[in-house]
Amino acid sequence: MNTPKTKKTKTSKFSQFFYTFLLHPLLILGSLSTLPQSTVAQPNPITAARQQINSRSLNLKQFHRTFSSSDKAFSQVNSVSALKDIEPTDWAYEALRSLVERYGCLKGYPDLTYRGNHPLSREQFAAGLNACLNTIESLMQENVAVLREDIEKIKRLAQEFESELTALGARIDNLEARVSFLEDHQFSTTSKLFAQVIWSIDEAFGDKIGEDQDESQMRMAYRIRLNQETSFTGKDILRTRFEINTFRPLNLTTGTNMTRFSYDNNSGSPNFRESQVHIPHLWYRTPLGSDVTLTVGTVGIGYIDLLSTFAPPTVNDESRGIPSLFGEYSPVYRRGGGGGGINWDMTKNLQLSLAYVGGDPNDPQQGKGLFNGTYHTIAQLALSLEKGQVGFAYSRSYFPAGRTDLMGGTGSLLAIQPFGNNIATSGDFYTLQGYYQITPNVQIHGWGGYVDSIAQSSAISNISNGVGDLIPTFVNRGNHASIAYGAIGLSFPDLTGENHLPGILIGIPPKVTASNVRSPQLLGRGQDTAYHIEAFYRIPLNENINITPGFWAIVNPEHNNFNETQWVGHIRTGFNF
């Protein structure tokens, strides 16, 4: 996430300008230091010199504050001799020596040089002189002792460099006008707009589950997301997402959810609106003290917004990472709705996350709402390593009858609805996931999980037999089904070029490994294990555009060897700006 930054002041932009164009090779800044005991009386002669310069529209004090507050890369020196590139014979040496040693109003680069391959220009020296003008003027206003000889020296230097100081003021005035124009015409002082566009040409190959023919056709579709991210304090963020999506899930033509993309739309969802702009995502995040962060949202807030998914950078990015739905991250994180969570940094490397999400938070009807319908809750402990992360999570989900999607659209239909869709179902998830950077160009990640699902009602329900049929079966309240899944991936960032990302992933999609729901028609017919084998290669065209060709194969789809292997090929183009 680019967290919106708070509105920048004009002076911070001035400092960048003058650092680049005026003060290279030496940036001269003002600060206070121990002073001699000689004193002078009022009136303040420096103020008089200042007024003479100000009469030419030069706001030098603002200029000095700009540099003093913004340039952190420069270190204080206590003697001009410490600026080792300056020789005693240089024209500016005597002036620099007395000012630096008495008032500490000049600073050099961290390596104690002023990059003196060429001498300071008059304009550069004028900038340093102004810094000392401000320092001494400030001291005198605070009734701090200043040597009279230094005051006289400053006055003479101000007169000698009056034209350069005036020119400097003109540049500042011009820059102020340009900054004011930009501020008047910017989108917002508190919000930033981020866009992601995905285009894809793709096709699935292989007979549809339960059929003797391939029903898939090549298609081209798109998804557009606009995230408006607003910050009110500089530390919080309010995200509002606008989206339009024309990717229909491939399971409509393949007969299995194992062929779905991570960026397709959920046509079965009551919130799905094809080719219509809608708001699928709205949440707010703010720190609670130094170690705790709170995130709450009304729609579309998921586990992935509340806690880490333990994948290397961009690997689980929908426009730049693994394209398949199962390959993107562990199915336990495919939960969404309205709710919130907290992240507590218990130590520097250990974080505890707790979250609750309701599936129908906006619906006041019986059996729905924030707490009385579909819900998900999770506790996760994450350990950060020097080159990776590892975490354990426990999650519990509950689905009323007619709404069961235990595995978030991944795996076999039997794993998604182990008791059919007519039975209220709960699931207890126990998962382990992590990643590790082996070398700068080789990283590994993976996850595994076990789910204990329980029937929460009794009725006759239609249960998948793995070959395209739904078998009416009586389910008793309390029946159990065990589900397991896992995957391991390798990716190779920058191995073949800057920002290139080749990668492979092999896994077993969610599978029912045991069940006490018994029916002769559900047992013994081609039962096997499905394998997900995927390869992709992200090729950047520039900083904002990338193309990712790739494919994945599903061997024994729906965990049944009666079914023909399914292949999915794609060429995805991602735009991020």
Side-chain angles (χ1 to χ4, degrees), residues 234-293:
K235 297 180 180 180
D236 63 342
I237 181 172
L238 171 67
R239 173 181 288 178
T240 306
R241 172 175 293 168
F242 303 88
E243 180 176 314
I244 183 170
N245 193 338
T246 64
F247 284 98
R248 282 188 170 272
L250 289 185
N251 65 308
L252 298 176
T253 56
T254 64
T256 175
N257 282 281
M258 298 179 183
T259 58
R260 288 185 59 179
F261 285 94
S262 63
Y263 43 83
D264 69 24
N265 60 51
N266 190 358
S267 299
S269 168
N271 298 320
F272 166 65
R273 300 177 181 85
E274 185 176 13
S275 300
Q276 295 184 29
V277 177
H278 61 292
I279 299 178
H281 201 62
L282 180 64
W283 54 254
Y284 176 72
R285 177 177 297 146
T286 186
L288 300 177
S290 59
D291 301 322
V292 178
T293 301

Side-chain angles (χ1 to χ4, degrees), residues 238-507:
L238 171 67
R239 173 181 288 178
T240 306
R241 172 175 293 168
F242 303 88
E243 180 176 314
I244 183 170
N245 193 338
T246 64
F247 284 98
R248 282 188 170 272
L250 289 185
N251 65 308
L252 298 176
T253 56
T254 64
T256 175
N257 282 281
M258 298 179 183
T259 58
R260 288 185 59 179
F261 285 94
S262 63
Y263 43 83
D264 69 24
N265 60 51
N266 190 358
S267 299
S269 168
N271 298 320
F272 166 65
R273 300 177 181 85
E274 185 176 13
S275 300
Q276 295 184 29
V277 177
H278 61 292
I279 299 178
H281 201 62
L282 180 64
W283 54 254
Y284 176 72
R285 177 177 297 146
T286 186
L288 300 177
S290 59
D291 301 322
V292 178
T293 301
L294 171 68
T295 305
V296 294
T298 61
V299 62
I301 186 170
Y303 283 178
I304 62 171
D305 304 305
L306 300 169
L307 35 82
S308 173
T309 59
F310 303 95
T314 74
V315 167
N316 61 355
D317 186 298
E318 293 177 355
S319 72
R320 293 177 287 193
I322 296 177
S324 68
L325 186 70
F326 170 68
E328 189 178 22
Y329 46 74
S330 174
V332 70
Y333 298 115
R334 296 201 174 276
R335 303 288 181 262
I342 61 169
N343 297 294
W344 174 28
D345 295 325
M346 303 172 65
T347 68
K348 180 181 178 181
N349 299 317
L350 192 63
Q351 184 184 77
L352 175 66
S353 299
L354 303 172
Y356 175 90
V357 177
D360 304 288
N362 64 323
D363 195 332
Q365 299 181 72
Q366 184 68 28
K368 297 184 179 181
L370 184 59
F371 298 107
N372 200 30
T374 300
Y375 73 81
H376 315 283
T377 185
I378 190 171
Q380 176 170 283
L381 196 62
L383 176 64
S384 296
L385 308 172
E386 182 179 356
K387 295 183 179 180
Q389 262 191 331
V390 63
F392 172 79
Y394 165 76
S395 178
R396 179 173 176 81
S397 293
Y398 172 81
F399 300 88
R403 302 293 302 277
T404 301
D405 184 5
L406 196 61
M407 304 311 301
T410 66
S412 66
L413 181 58
L414 183 61
I416 293 171
Q417 298 174 351
F419 311 110
N421 197 35
N422 198 35
I423 300 295
T425 303
S426 66
D428 294 293
F429 290 71
Y430 306 88
T431 69
L432 182 69
Q433 43 273 323
Y435 76 92
Y436 187 76
Q437 185 183 52
I438 302 172
T439 73
N441 301 116
V442 180
Q443 53 197 15
I444 186 171
H445 73 286
W447 62 81
Y450 168 80
V451 185
D452 180 21
S453 60
I454 305 172
Q456 298 294 335
S457 60
S458 299
I460 294 176
S461 185
N462 294 324
I463 301 178
S464 172
N465 67 351
V467 290
D469 299 319
L470 297 175
I471 308 302
T473 306
F474 185 78
V475 178
N476 285 306
R477 179 184 176 92
N479 279 147
H480 283 254
S482 298
I483 302 168
Y485 61 87
I488 186 169
L490 284 170
S491 51
F492 309 93
D494 302 327
L495 183 64
T496 54
E498 185 177 1
N499 293 325
H500 287 239
L501 184 66
I504 58 175
L505 181 132
I506 300 175

